[in-house]
Amino acid sequence: MIPEKAPLPDENIAENTPRDNISPALSKKQRRTARAWDAVHQVAAVFPHLWPQVKERQFRAMKNGITEDVLAWIAAHPEGGLSVATWKKAICFVVSRIEYLRAVSEGAVRVDLNGEVAGTVTKSEAQHAREKIVALRARLAVMKKTAFPPCGA
């Protein structure tokens, strides 16, 4: 279903425009992360009820199949300020974040593009999210140990 409530983005809001001038002084990873956050803010500007607390980096579990809704919205609103590439970048970034994975707990409400209830998180989905959190924490721990070896090593 194509949401009708989603307003078109206000072109005067700086958050809605991607940062074409991301500092080259940043590392490649920092530039990639900055571009991903730009994509997240573009999606939040188009669908403000999906992630109303995006500035606080708080996310709600999204309904299963939400990408189909977004693709239909993009097709119906080509001038709407959101591209498929921007959506994909934002969604991949969000669903891999600990903040989102924590929101995917058993019985948690899933929301659609308008922020309306569109199901709940199942036990197996919550278990999968917990497993991803454990794996992510393990990966981060390894990165911390190898990123900065002790002085004199």
Side-chain angles (χ1 to χ4, degrees), residues 17-58:
T17 53
R19 277 188 243 169
D20 295 328
N21 60 349
I22 294 174
S23 172
L26 297 175
S27 71
K28 184 177 180 179
K29 181 178 178 181
Q30 289 170 324
R31 289 191 307 269
R32 186 174 52 240
T33 300
R35 285 190 298 271
W37 274 114
D38 285 344
V40 169
H41 286 287
Q42 280 184 277
V43 170
V46 174
F47 303 112
H49 302 292
L50 178 60
W51 302 321
Q53 295 177 310
V54 70
K55 289 183 181 180
E56 293 83 23
R57 297 184 179 194
Q58 293 180 9

